[in-house]
Amino acid sequence: MSVQEECNALTPPNALYDHALYLLRESPDGVPPRRGYSLPKKPDTGEEPPPWEEAKNAIQEALSPLPDAPGTLHHRFERGGIRTRHRHLIQSAVAELPVPPEEVDAARSLGRQLTRTGTTGAAVTAGIALLDRLGEPEDVPYLSVLGLFRDLTRSAVDALDLLDRQSAAVVWLAVYARHDELRPLVNALWTGNQQAVGAELVAFPASARFINSAVARRIAEASQLPDLLDHHYSDTDLLARAGRLLARMGCSRNDPTDLLAYCDALRMYDSVVTRAGLLPPTLDNAAMLLSLALDLDSGTGVLLDWSPGRRATLLESLRQLLAEPRWAAASATAGDADQRLRADWIRRTGRQPFKRPATSGRLRIEVVAGDPADREPVEARILIDGRPVVPAVFGRGPAHSPEHLLDEGRLRAGAEPHEVQLAEADCTEGCCGALYVTIRRDSDQVVWENWRRPQAMPGAGQPAPELPAYRFDTSAYDTEIARAEADRSWSWPARTTARLIKAGLLEKPELVRRWNARQGWISTGFEDPDTTVVTFWYVPGLASGKPERADSALQFRWVIPDDGTPPEAQAAATLRRLAEEDPKSYAQVCGGSRERAEELGFSWPDSA
């Protein structure tokens, strides 16, 4: 909390809404600060909050029956020890509250009184939750102001999303847009300066560092981007930025459900693709259009509610455009290393989204390497009946890499059923789950069944439906798996080198074990995909079968630049060196603990 905010909080108006208005008037230019405002502090009563289950019961009792006056709910919450920290329980309880038709007006009135006059975060949260169910356009200004309290932002935005997407997006950006580079755009959106909005839309950096899928969607919603494109038909800078934001929305490394939640997604695809011929044929624009094509072919874009044939028409339009000599030449003028990396990706991937499926059948696997400028993942996209499985039923991260799913034969159907993890949440399985399916062979069919995943899709709020069992013709299934496993057209030299090193160590694990080490992950560098990275864990005594403190292993990282020789030669040289020299003498410590590193005589890196 800022000094000014702390001073303001000492004598707050009674209603939180009035206090938010006061803070907004005090803010420079009437624009809220990044991260919004803190709720005013309440005097510490010294009482411990009730345990979670007890608080849940107290909230349900306070809401049943729904009181006629806001003061009654305030009193019930105070008596039950309910505080702002219980806001998620309050939202859930209000969402599940039965409201008969004859009580709707009274419940809406209570929600309005609580949002306009409520003096505690708990009571105002209940009011917002009621308007989430029963709100009307007249409630938008109040929800927008209350959403500036960061403890109330998420619930206020949820309610606004149902009433006014633009207002919801402006509030979301005002509080959650973290980077200073985005503040001029946010300020223009908040003040409604349309001329400045257009200028700032094309001014901020559009790299993945600044723009994830959620930020991209909210910018498009807040600026009403399709209308802006219509009003500035020949503005190619704005058109390119619109395409860039659309590509970011479908990014599987973030949250692909942002594209599905964007109500104007179909209109945006139409606007960008049908006008793409106006764009100058630059490397950036070629990469953006190819990203859109990949998404329309096998990514989240497939899942939108397309009219018959429209998606195919847009793909064909992109195919024809990118095949023109002027666009083909765009990737031939790359300058620095990053541009050459991107140009190589375009040349390698350029035809992929426009090919007909290699095999017929219900199952299709497309290994897609995304734009390297955004450090997009390489994923083995699985499509069943033409629909990509992972964004359709999971939506918390990309499909696993081809090395994980294909190189190790996990998708093959054997005699015994086996469970396969198809995807993991970007934040790890322990946080937000993973997607599993059991694969088994049943006579002349292969069956995918017994799906496991989180109980709800991101942002859905409702339990996810049970997934059906899928059956595939065995011959067609085996043919598709074999084709996908053999296909290396998506790969590049450093990635191929990594695969060959991994295969060599799988065949000869003693190459690292002899140095008291066990293999870690092997792939290409995240920041520099033209390097191969080999990691391993050092455990003294491992080679003799008497490991010392195996739970305190030290991780090492060996970075191998691409020297231009064939990947087979680079992998063979790497394996020879592992056989002849202790890798701890040339690899760098990158994980474990400083104490363990110093204990074993190794330097701890400053960046670890």
Side-chain angles (χ1 to χ4, degrees), residues 173 182 185 201 204 211 215-223 245:
L173 288 167
L182 294 175
L185 173 62
L201 258 175
F204 66 84
I211 306 295
V215 173
R217 170 167 74 96
R218 293 303 186 178
I219 288 175
E221 291 173 337
S223 62
L245 292 174

Side-chain angles (χ1 to χ4, degrees), residues 59 157 418:
I59 292 168
V157 167
H418 66 285

Side-chain angles (χ1 to χ4, degrees), residues 348 491-498 524 530 532 562 565 567 570:
R348 191 173 60 247
S491 192
W492 61 101
R495 191 84 175 200
T496 301
T497 299
T524 45
D530 268 345
T532 298
D562 180 7
T565 61
Q570 295 187 59

Side-chain angles (χ1 to χ4, degrees), residues 402-414:
E403 289 89 350
H404 179 85
L405 290 176
L406 298 173
D407 286 1
E408 299 181 19
R410 285 185 168 91
L411 296 183
R412 297 176 191 171

Side-chain angles (χ1 to χ4, degrees), residues 436-507:
Y436 290 88
V437 69
T438 296
I439 300 176
R440 67 180 176 89
R441 192 175 290 271
D442 181 16
S443 185
D444 60 348
Q445 293 185 324
V446 173
V447 185
W448 284 25
E449 62 186 359
N450 298 331
W451 297 83
R452 287 200 296 124
R453 60 172 174 166
Q455 293 184 346
M457 286 287 286
Q462 298 293 328
E466 290 293 321
L467 294 173
Y470 290 97
R471 291 181 172 270
F472 310 95
D473 173 79
T474 297
S475 177
Y477 183 93
D478 291 344
T479 299
E480 176 62 6
I481 297 300
R483 181 205 62 78
E485 289 179 349
D487 180 21
R488 296 291 163 189
S489 61
W490 57 269
S491 192
W492 61 101
R495 191 84 175 200
T496 301
T497 299
R499 179 178 62 84
L500 294 173
I501 293 171
K502 189 174 180 181
L505 291 179
L506 185 64
E507 184 179 343

Side-chain angles (χ1 to χ4, degrees), residues 297 351-358 364 366 483 487 489:
D297 176 56
R351 284 190 248 175
Q352 182 178 2
F354 311 117
K355 297 184 302 184
R356 296 178 65 84
R364 173 184 160 207
E366 285 289 338
R483 181 205 62 78
D487 180 21
S489 61

